[in-house]
Amino acid sequence: MTTSGVSLGRLLLALDATMVTLVQAPRGLDLSVSSAALIDPDDVRLGLAAASVSADVFLLLGVGDREAHQLDVLSWLLRQTAPRTPAAILVKDPSDAVVARAVACGTAVVAVEPRARWERLYRLVDHVFDHHRAAPVHDSGTDLFGLAQSIADRTHGMVSIEDAQSHVLAYSASADEADELRRSSILGRAGPPEHLAWIAQWGIFDAVRAGDVVRVDARPELGLRPRRAVGIHQAPVAARRPPTFAGTIWVQQGKQPLADDTDEILRGAAVLAARILTRLAAAPSAHAVLVGELLGLRDGDREVTELARDLGITADGRPTVIGFDGGGTTPARLSDVLALSASAFRPDAQVAARGDRVYVLLPDTGRASVPSWIRGTIGALHAELGVALHAVVAAPPDGLSGAATARAEVDRVLDSAARHPGSLGPVTSLAEARTTVLLDEIVALIAADDRLTDPRIRTLRDHEPVLADTLRAYLDAFGDVGDAADRLHVHPNTVRYRIRRIEDRLGTSLADPDARLVLALTLRATG
């Protein structure tokens, strides 16, 4: 699959004037762009952003409105990309000096609405690129943006499609008369409290969930224009169950009255939106399919070189596979958050999720400090989201062709950590965890088959648990009586006395290495 890119103009049109505003485009809007990267000043300072310079469009995070700060990051970017010229930079409150410097180099400057969330903007940019490069075989009619624009064209209003939690999934182009509630929703911010309170007070949310089209009158004192809404209800999976509420389609009226048949259009749109959301849940994007095949999360018969070409990544680099797990407390949007961080670290990073786990594939790490990035990401997510993640890192020795095997090995480590919380640190390499994981899996196999455990240990545990604990401590101490006594907080003579009793109860000598091995494994399997 060849990625020819989209025009810069088409990208900006898809993002909408609510989100971005073109400041200047010295080379016009017909430039082809196909990739975006996030540039964070801290990553620049720490030397972690060098890999991001191969992108076409750059989102400058965290530079604020300080001219010197913006110029420092822009100057670094222009040096790193030379002799190639970035197609565009997206920045909040760009200073005149930054605009002049970028334009002089032929780079377009796009001002981002200060209240916009970077993660929302990055997802939208990625959506535009992903939808453009999706092959027909993978395009399952999941373009909610296209549906939103079609509804807007037919109703003469401004459309937004939200999920069941009122998060905007897609929207049509905005006109100047878009009200504050619409703008806030698109920017990824909660609507003004007084607006939301009024909507809830009048039971509009309840009416939308209940069924038919709801008409919402204008509230000039709140700055709210008239709008209509219809609930999106998906057919139940099981028979005799009511449809599931999946979201809402909103149409805000502008200066032009809504079409006479707006209600009928919305009813039909709700059916189409439900189908699209069902397809989205059942069929991942073309990009997700490719990454899943590369990591062995999905069946496929394509060669690694073909997958790499379609993803636009190198097949002969030094890859790294990282698995993240939150121990059952993983937030629903962890995949998006990690994708944002990983793409800022390496623009060629690929992210996939299965269950509570998120996998990051770095096709070519080069000299990048992967452990440093992982520790920083885990620390940031703990501080911001309150989730305690741990990660396992694997570097397949046979390159990208070993990515699926490496991911499976990462899962083995994460599975072991899940069975024994606290057994591994927050960041663990596959090599570091090898012994722990192998022993855990051996013990798990033994524990699953009573024939593989010594019945004498079960008897000892049932009738004399103190002796069983002493035997475990003695074996773990490699027969060192003093060490075992310290572990048990007793006198060494007490340990010696108990060991004699244990040998008498078991009818075996603990000097026999084979006996020690069987007893140690049984103690772990039955403990």
Side-chain angles (χ1 to χ4, degrees):
M1 184 191 312
T2 301
T3 304
S4 58
V6 300
S7 69
L8 179 59
R10 178 177 174 183
L11 174 63
L12 298 184
L13 184 63
L15 296 179
D16 193 61
T18 301
M19 186 75 76
V20 298
T21 303
L22 177 65
V23 179
Q24 285 199 47
R27 291 187 286 165
L29 295 176
D30 291 330
L31 287 178
S32 178
V33 293
S34 59
S35 59
L38 297 146
I39 301 294
D40 188 301
D42 289 339
D43 291 339
V44 173
R45 178 174 54 83
L46 297 172
L48 301 178
S52 302
V53 298
S54 61
D56 300 319
V57 177
F58 295 91
L59 286 66
L60 307 188
L61 282 67
V63 296
D65 57 2
R66 289 186 298 166
E67 181 176 284
H69 209 173
Q70 292 183 1
L71 279 172
D72 286 344
V73 174
L74 177 60
S75 298
W76 175 90
L77 178 61
L78 294 174
R79 288 195 304 270
Q80 294 295 319
T81 56
R84 189 177 62 85
T85 302
I89 59 169
L90 281 72
V91 60
K92 295 182 178 180
D93 295 320
S95 68
D96 292 341
V98 164
V99 174
R101 177 71 186 281
V103 170
C105 297
T107 297
V109 179
V110 180
V112 177
E113 160 64 41
R115 295 179 299 157
R117 291 188 181 277
W118 283 111
E119 66 269 22
R120 165 65 60 81
L121 179 58
Y122 185 78
R123 285 203 307 274
L124 291 174
V125 171
D126 188 60
H127 168 87
V128 175
F129 290 149
D130 187 61
H131 183 71
H132 174 77
R133 62 178 170 248
V137 68
H138 293 302
D139 187 3
S140 56
T142 57
D143 187 15
L144 286 173
F145 279 85
L147 176 62
Q149 192 58 54
S150 296
I151 301 170
D153 293 342
R154 287 284 286 107
T155 63
H156 313 310
M158 290 167 279
V159 176
S160 60
I161 302 176
E162 300 179 354
D163 64 14
Q165 289 73 44
S166 298
H167 299 142
V168 175
L169 301 174
Y171 52 85
S172 66
S174 296
D176 292 339
E177 57 268 22
D179 62 20
E180 184 58 25
L181 181 58
R182 174 179 171 81
R183 286 194 293 268
S184 297
S185 299
I186 291 175
L187 292 171
R189 303 287 178 177
E194 62 273 19
H195 294 183
L196 299 179
W198 178 80
I199 290 175
Q201 176 184 350
W202 284 89
I204 295 171
F205 288 135
D206 292 337
V208 166
R209 288 175 177 269
D212 205 7
V213 176
V214 177
R215 298 191 177 205
V216 183
D217 294 333
R219 290 295 301 269
E221 72 279 12
L222 295 177
L224 284 175
R225 290 182 174 271
R227 48 187 15 95
R228 296 187 202 179
V230 66
I232 303 169
H233 295 83
Q234 292 176 287
V237 176
R240 301 182 187 178
R241 291 192 178 182
T244 302
F245 176 72
T248 310
I249 301 176
W250 293 90
V251 180
Q252 185 219 302
Q253 180 178 320
K255 294 179 180 178
Q256 182 179 1
L258 296 178
D260 293 339
D261 59 349
T262 292
D263 288 2
E264 289 300 319
I265 294 170
L266 285 178
R267 293 186 187 101
V271 174
L272 293 177
R275 291 175 185 169
I276 290 175
L277 291 175
T278 299
R279 293 190 190 110
L280 281 171
S285 69
H287 186 87
V289 169
L290 295 174
V291 178
E293 287 186 22
L294 192 57
L295 289 174
L297 297 170
R298 299 177 61 89
D299 294 332
D301 55 4
R302 279 173 284 192
E303 297 291 335
V304 169
T305 52
E306 181 185 354
L307 292 171
R309 184 184 68 249
D310 289 351
L311 288 168
I313 59 177
T314 181
D316 55 3
R318 295 168 51 192
T320 299
V321 177
I322 308 137
F324 291 88
D325 195 304
T329 60
T330 306
R333 293 179 58 205
L334 179 65
S335 180
D336 288 340
V337 175
L338 284 175
L340 187 71
S341 178
S343 298
F345 177 57
R346 302 284 299 188
D348 57 352
Q350 309 297 317
V351 180
R354 183 168 69 180
D356 288 334
R357 290 181 187 169
V358 179
Y359 306 92
V360 175
L361 168 65
L362 304 175
D364 187 13
T365 51
R367 298 181 179 179
S369 178
V370 176
S372 176
W373 168 72
I374 297 173
R375 285 191 291 270
T377 299
I378 289 177
L381 292 182
H382 185 266
E384 296 171 8
L385 301 179
V387 60
L389 292 175
H390 53 267
V392 177
V393 187
D398 46 354
L400 200 61
S401 61
T405 300
R407 193 273 311 159
E409 292 295 302
V410 164
D411 272 342
R412 290 176 63 190
V413 181
L414 291 174
D415 289 342
S416 177
R419 289 191 292 267
H420 304 283
S423 61
L424 299 175
V427 183
T428 308
S429 72
L430 191 59
E432 292 171 337
R434 182 73 67 184
T435 299
T436 300
V437 172
L438 286 175
L439 180 58
D440 175 54
E441 291 178 342
I442 290 170
V443 169
L445 288 173
I446 293 174
D449 190 341
D450 289 342
R451 297 174 302 171
L452 300 179
T453 57
D454 191 327
R456 295 174 297 177
I457 292 297
R458 295 185 182 275
T459 302
L460 191 67
R461 281 193 184 281
D462 291 340
H463 295 90
E464 298 186 85
V466 171
L467 294 186
D469 292 341
T470 300
L471 177 58
R472 173 70 181 267
Y474 178 77
L475 294 175
D476 287 349
F478 302 101
D480 186 322
V481 173
D483 187 4
D486 289 340
R487 295 172 186 237
L488 296 168
H489 306 292
V490 298
H491 193 276
N493 285 340
T494 301
V495 174
R496 293 187 181 95
Y497 169 71
R498 292 178 181 175
I499 291 301
R500 288 194 295 270
R501 290 182 58 197
I502 290 169
E503 289 181 321
D504 181 60
R505 295 288 190 278
L506 300 181
T508 190
S509 171
L510 295 181
D512 183 348
D514 291 341
R516 290 200 304 271
L517 176 60
V518 171
L519 294 174
L521 289 174
T522 301
L523 282 165
R524 290 177 180 271
T526 59

